[in-house]
Amino acid sequence: MRTPRILISNDDGIHAPGIQCLIEVAREFGEVTVVAPNSPQSGMGHAISLGKPLRMYKENLFEGQDGYACNGTPADCVKLATGVLMAEAPDLILSGINHGSNSSVSGIYSGTLSAAREGALQQIPAIGFSLCNYSHNADLSTARVVVREVIAQALAQPMKASQLINVNIPDVSVENLAGYKITRQAMGRWVEEFDQRIDPYGQKYYWLTGKFLLEDHGEDTDEFALENGYVSICPMSLDLTDYDQFRILDRWQFSKPVS
């Protein structure tokens, strides 16, 4: 059998510990190509660079593994990898391991998920991995075990083109990991505040702060799984259409265009 081609990116930057862990595990399964941002890109969502030139430069990440640092967003990295760098499309795209959860609505803002989503938009199956610990020095030993298990399953039972999976890993030891759950995205929202400050020139500036408000207490959600020590495996759709609203919108009465 042909060795799988695996493309890896992230949003924490090419030198983040999470991506190194992901690369090391992915190399057990196939030929790995790495294109990742040259600086942190958290919260970038699916932004792409339209008003600036994109650049890639080669870096040695560790013995036996090179990668390419890019001055763009996570989505830019995947576009450059598939459109410029790789002679053939990858069989699987992996993004992460993100330092911090991307459950519930955080997946909308996530640069980690955007790199995976860009792959799915290109009809390449993709998985985003996140660990529920924001520390740069987080213990990645449980994440390493989970990533290995998920990649093995994804390759043994091949994902369909455009399939996108959001994997969130609880911050627990391997011994305390409860297992794996297939979940749905919990409904919630960020209640935001702005910390106003004054710069040395007397001008106001703001730091975005806030807290997450969970509005969904179902036992089939990603938040419930993580709270109870399970890995959350949430399949995601590229189709943003809300089909339940068709009946409501069909009742709207539009006037005829004036000729």
Side-chain angles (χ1 to χ4, degrees), residues 196-207:
Q196 178 180 301
R197 302 184 186 184
I198 305 296
D199 69 18
Y201 301 97
Q203 301 297 312
K204 296 177 182 178
Y205 68 98
Y206 302 88
W207 281 107

Side-chain angles (χ1 to χ4, degrees), residues 2-7 31 33 78-79 81-93 119 122-125 161:
R2 180 177 58 80
T3 301
R5 295 183 297 271
I6 301 172
L7 172 61
E31 176 185 333
T33 299
V78 173
K79 286 180 178 291
T82 58
V84 176
L85 185 63
M86 302 182 73
E88 298 180 81
D91 300 298
L92 180 64
I93 291 179
Q122 296 184 33
Q123 300 293 295
I124 303 166

Side-chain angles (χ1 to χ4, degrees), residues 113 127-131 146 150 165-169 231-234:
L113 263 293
I127 307 172
F129 292 97
S130 302
L131 174 66
V146 171
V150 171
I165 296 175
N166 181 17
V167 177
N168 282 276
I169 305 164
V231 176
S232 165
I233 300 177
C234 182

Side-chain angles (χ1 to χ4, degrees), residues 10-14 16 37-44 72 74:
N10 75 344
D11 74 351
D12 287 320
I14 195 166
N38 61 4
S39 61
Q41 298 285 317
S42 295
M44 291 299 292

